[in-house]
Amino acid sequence: MTTGHLFIISAPSGTGKSLLLKLLLKNNKFKFNIKLSISYTTRIKRTGEVDNEDYFFISKKKFQTMIKNNEFLEYAKVFGNYYGTSKKNINNMLQNNTDIFLNIDWQGAKQVRKKIPQVCSIFILPPSIEELYKRLNLRGKDHIDIINKRILQSKKEIYHFYEYDYLIINNNINDAKFDLQNIIYAEHLKIKTQFNIYNNFINKLLNE
Ligand code: 5GP
């Protein structure tokens, strides 16, 4: 049986990562079954966000209990709040032959790579810092102090791009989506995956 592939996608805040993932998931003609992992967070829910869809919004106390019980595949503190990925949820989803995307930061990516070396990690860069400002302002969801803090954090995050397997520059959302889909295809065409699927056929070819 083949299991799904695990992907990590990281990007500085305002890079367009969420829109990119939305477009990817909306493409029902795409060959592979893809799901986005839902993280746990202690962050306050933003207007329009839905509990159990955007995040599992939980208290700090509950988050700490989950850390103690070793329930996280990874977790990190980002912008003063905790975010984490449940081990159990990921294992269940992968068994269903579904590709899973973890929308997490570089700290979480580092932890996942240690535990699951075959994970495929993708970093998205904005076309410029100016564009980041524009997008964060347009989003209109955060106070200007928070936006400035996020820009500073974004710059720090960018330093980690080289730790990833693939790099996409989000100059144009459709081009970025095309790049992302190609990365997913490439992962599925790797020898290990192909051999799992076609081992009877390959053995037959070799023995003819
Ligand atoms: P936001 O608060 O804007 O939804 O997310 C802030 C940052 O937290 C983003 O960079 C996002 O990738 C990261 N993040 C979201 N969920 C997780 C998670 O489960 N683990 C880690 N390490 N980072 C996360």
Side-chain angles (χ1 to χ4, degrees), residues 17-203:
K17 182 181 53 173
S18 302
L19 176 61
L20 187 57
L21 286 169
K22 214 187 241 172
L23 290 178
L24 179 76
L25 296 171
K26 233 176 66 184
N27 182 359
N28 49 21
K29 286 197 194 121
F30 194 50
K31 192 172 162 182
F32 307 109
N33 191 12
I34 296 170
K35 281 217 172 100
L36 192 59
S37 153
I38 303 174
S39 296
Y40 286 80
T41 186
T42 62
R43 168 166 77 60
I44 304 278
K45 204 173 5 150
R46 293 192 191 115
T47 322
E49 281 183 330
V50 179
D51 194 14
N52 298 357
E53 277 183 28
D54 295 290
Y55 283 104
F56 298 113
F57 293 95
I58 60 169
S59 66
K60 241 185 200 158
K61 195 165 168 218
K62 171 96 197 287
F63 201 97
Q64 254 134 21
T65 307
M66 288 179 76
I67 297 176
K68 226 158 100 201
N69 294 341
N70 200 18
E71 290 182 50
F72 288 118
L73 172 64
E74 63 73 37
Y75 69 91
K77 201 173 185 184
V78 188
F79 309 125
N81 297 301
Y82 285 100
Y83 296 82
T85 307
S86 151
K87 237 188 262 181
K88 198 166 93 196
N89 292 356
I90 299 303
N91 286 339
N92 289 345
M93 287 201 271
L94 286 173
Q95 291 312 318
N96 287 334
N97 205 9
T98 303
D99 287 353
I100 309 298
F101 265 81
L102 306 181
N103 176 357
I104 62 179
D105 83 323
W106 68 271
Q107 306 172 79
K110 205 169 176 176
Q111 296 168 43
V112 177
R113 262 184 229 111
K114 242 189 194 163
K115 292 181 182 159
I116 309 174
Q118 71 273 23
V119 69
C120 171
S121 59
I122 306 158
F123 200 87
I124 319 281
L125 279 178
S128 66
I129 296 293
E130 209 182 319
E131 191 60 29
L132 267 193
Y133 262 112
K134 242 191 246 166
R135 289 179 188 172
L136 286 174
N137 269 323
L138 275 181
R139 201 158 78 175
K141 287 184 176 170
D142 294 311
H143 189 269
I144 186 67
D145 291 344
I146 304 267
I147 293 179
N148 284 333
K149 217 165 130 192
R150 279 180 181 249
I151 293 282
L152 210 80
Q153 193 64 34
S154 294
K155 287 184 183 167
K156 282 191 193 156
E157 178 125 20
I158 289 174
Y159 280 110
H160 293 273
F161 79 92
Y162 68 92
E163 295 162 11
Y164 288 70
D165 299 310
Y166 292 95
L167 181 66
I168 296 175
I169 320 282
N170 188 10
N171 261 320
N172 170 293
I173 195 77
N174 287 320
D175 292 347
K177 182 180 131 198
F178 182 72
D179 289 347
L180 187 56
Q181 289 183 339
N182 282 327
I183 292 169
I184 299 168
Y185 271 110
E187 277 302 295
H188 278 268
L189 292 173
K190 278 191 169 161
I191 293 288
K192 210 171 162 213
T193 308
Q194 291 287 68
F195 189 69
N196 271 338
I197 300 169
Y198 295 110
N199 62 3
N200 286 340
F201 161 76
I202 294 169
N203 283 327

